[in-house]
Amino acid sequence: MTVFLTLVVIALFGITLWQMSKILKLSQAKTDNSQVANDKDNNLQGKLMLAFVIFLYLLTIYCFVQYDSYFLPESASEHGVDYDRLMLISMVLIMIVQILTQGLLHFFSYKYRGKKENKALFFADNDKLEFIWTIIPVIVLAGLIIYGLFTWTDIMNIDEEDGDPLIVELYAYQFDWRARYSGEDNELGKANVRYIEGINTLGLDVSDTYGKDDKITNELHLPVNRKVIFKMRSQDVLHSAYMPFFRAQMNVVPGMITEFAYTPTVTSDEMRDSEFMVEKVATINKIRREKSKKLVAAGDEALEEYTFEYYLLCNKICGVSHYNMQMKIIVESEEDYKAWLKTQPTFGEQLSAQASN
Ligand SMILES: [Cu+2]
């Protein structure tokens, strides 16, 4: 350590001497102008400034056109409409401000580039101008922030007493999801990672009667137009429950329960039959068919036709198989949902089945 520190001190001393020698050089007035920009340099730099901003805007337009197939369709949840509106207003405002400030910055750098005969105007200040460019951003930003806050509190207002919400637990672990439905009593039984044992992979408290009728599934079925409150738990590391079509995302944190609620408004079938999805799936299948041909020619298996499904994804890089951490979401009518849930065994049934084995 001492040797290292000594070396650092010597190096720093060297740098100090070097810098001092530069100052000494400066003080000896020289007439070498090779480092000072002349009109030719200024011309080139001015044009490059303008060309750069034009290139950026052309690239932006190209990306919008080229990649518009990656945009999501209209939201499949109630709050998603407000969310999309907030996003659109913010983006349009950002674009306007960006073009006004960066566009003008680059254009003026070009227009007023250095010329030998030009002399800079000394402009001390202008109270009126400063007032205008302060008050406009203040009003616009305050408006945007207040509007954003109202939208956020609306979305995050998770009221279990409001209406008849469905309560579902989303359980994340490396590298999969499980859903837990609360059963007849609409009350999830207590759970803790310390109770994980054998088939009790979610760590339900066996002594809690609320947990006996809970149903643990590997698909997430949701009735359309009914509010769902998700209670999220993680077994191991930080995950993130991401449901892009419903404009929903929430971190799933070990040791605590995080919540998110939304009302799905478009069933899986409706989304599959929508103009947007029919077109998109046709494009995807066209690409897959071409790829299949090559695969078959190489002696491999052909790709299956792709059909649309909603998915719950993990949006936090949580380990090697993070990319594959997904669970199918099926939004359906209340009747279909009830019929499906009936076919799922309760936790109590699973326990007694194991005991009798
Ligand atoms: Cu994950």
Side-chain angles (χ1 to χ4, degrees):
M1 195 67 197
T2 323
V3 179
F4 173 72
L5 281 176
T6 316
L7 285 175
V8 168
V9 169
I10 292 170
L12 284 173
F13 185 71
I15 291 172
T16 314
L17 281 182
W18 178 52
Q19 291 288 349
M20 276 169 72
S21 75
K22 277 170 80 177
I23 293 169
L24 286 175
K25 259 188 216 162
L26 269 181
S27 61
Q28 297 159 3
K30 272 191 196 162
T31 48
D32 176 21
N33 276 337
S34 65
Q35 300 285 311
V36 180
N38 56 30
D39 270 8
K40 206 178 135 212
D41 299 329
N42 288 332
N43 232 337
L44 177 71
Q45 296 300 329
K47 281 175 186 165
L48 281 177
M49 283 291 271
L50 186 66
F52 181 69
V53 80
I54 292 173
F55 165 74
L56 264 191
Y57 290 155
L58 288 179
L59 188 67
T60 310
I61 295 168
Y62 172 79
C63 289
F64 268 117
V65 176
Q66 182 69 19
Y67 298 111
D68 84 321
S69 62
Y70 290 94
F71 290 168
L72 286 166
E74 264 166 50
S75 170
S77 68
E78 222 172 76
H79 78 274
V81 181
D82 304 322
Y83 175 100
D84 284 351
R85 195 183 305 119
L86 175 66
M87 184 75 177
L88 183 71
I89 291 174
S90 307
M91 289 316 283
V92 167
L93 265 175
I94 289 169
M95 289 273 188
I96 291 172
V97 173
Q98 141 73 22
I99 289 168
L100 272 179
T101 55
Q102 299 303 305
L104 280 180
L105 176 74
H106 284 249
F107 176 69
F108 283 156
S109 310
Y110 163 74
K111 190 168 184 232
Y112 301 109
R113 65 193 182 276
K115 277 185 202 133
K116 203 146 223 155
E117 66 271 22
N118 276 1
K119 218 167 176 210
L121 171 73
F122 179 72
F123 190 84
D125 59 1
N126 182 323
D127 291 346
K128 207 170 145 193
L129 260 182
E130 281 169 22
F131 178 74
I132 292 171
W133 77 50
T134 308
I135 199 75
I136 292 178
V138 166
I139 293 171
V140 173
L141 279 178
L144 196 61
I145 289 166
I146 291 168
Y147 172 48
L149 276 177
F150 272 99
T151 310
W152 170 254
T153 33
D154 269 356
I155 292 173
M156 293 310 291
N157 179 24
I158 301 167
D159 185 0
E160 286 182 31
E161 306 300 308
D162 177 31
D164 180 25
L166 174 70
I167 294 171
V168 181
E169 178 179 81
L170 292 180
Y171 186 77
Y173 62 95
Q174 286 169 319
F175 295 95
D176 210 348
W177 296 94
R178 287 289 178 268
R180 179 158 64 114
Y181 292 81
S182 48
E184 301 281 287
D185 52 16
N186 207 22
E187 188 94 33
L188 286 164
K190 284 196 201 87
N192 192 301
V193 280
R194 288 188 180 84
Y195 300 137
I196 294 174
E197 200 186 356
I199 60 156
N200 188 7
T201 45
L202 267 60
L204 268 65
D205 183 349
V206 196
S207 64
D208 185 6
T209 45
Y210 283 122
K212 285 277 183 309
D213 65 344
D214 287 2
K215 293 183 168 185
I216 298 158
T217 64
N218 52 12
E219 268 182 1
L220 181 60
H221 284 242
L222 302 173
V224 71
N225 294 325
R226 183 171 166 198
K227 184 166 144 184
V228 200
I229 298 177
F230 295 105
K231 309 256 178 188
M232 304 169 192
R233 280 197 304 135
S234 165
Q235 186 181 87
D236 32 47
V237 298
L238 186 62
H239 299 275
S240 182
Y242 182 42
M243 296 168 265
F245 285 84
F246 306 98
R247 309 297 190 266
Q249 174 165 296
M250 182 52 69
N251 279 351
V252 189
V253 188
M256 66 185 286
I257 295 172
T258 50
E259 291 184 296
F260 197 87
Y262 66 75
T263 310
T265 52
V266 184
T267 64
S268 296
D269 284 335
E270 282 166 353
M271 184 54 86
R272 211 169 287 131
D273 296 338
S274 68
E275 205 182 314
F276 178 93
M277 217 27 98
V278 168
E279 211 177 291
K280 183 150 290 196
V281 169
T283 319
I284 293 172
N285 275 325
K286 207 179 129 201
I287 298 167
R288 284 171 86 92
R289 271 194 295 275
E290 279 161 24
K291 209 171 174 188
S292 279
K293 269 187 219 159
K294 281 183 202 158
L295 286 174
V296 172
D300 287 337
E301 235 173 283
L303 291 170
E304 271 174 58
E305 284 278 296
Y306 167 79
T307 45
F308 170 78
E309 293 290 354
Y310 291 126
Y311 276 98
L312 162 67
L313 306 165
C314 178
N315 208 14
K316 279 270 148 34
I317 299 177
C318 56
V320 281
S321 290
H322 152 75
Y323 70 96
N324 206 20
M325 189 170 158
Q326 50 184 277
M327 178 163 66
K328 199 195 272 183
I329 306 175
I330 292 136
V331 181
E332 57 200 355
S333 67
E334 182 87 32
E335 299 83 64
D336 287 352
Y337 158 74
K338 279 191 176 141
W340 168 81
L341 195 61
K342 236 186 207 134
T343 64
Q344 302 298 313
T346 65
F347 179 62
E349 285 164 358
Q350 279 182 321
L351 279 184
S352 43
Q354 193 209 22
S356 63
N357 270 344

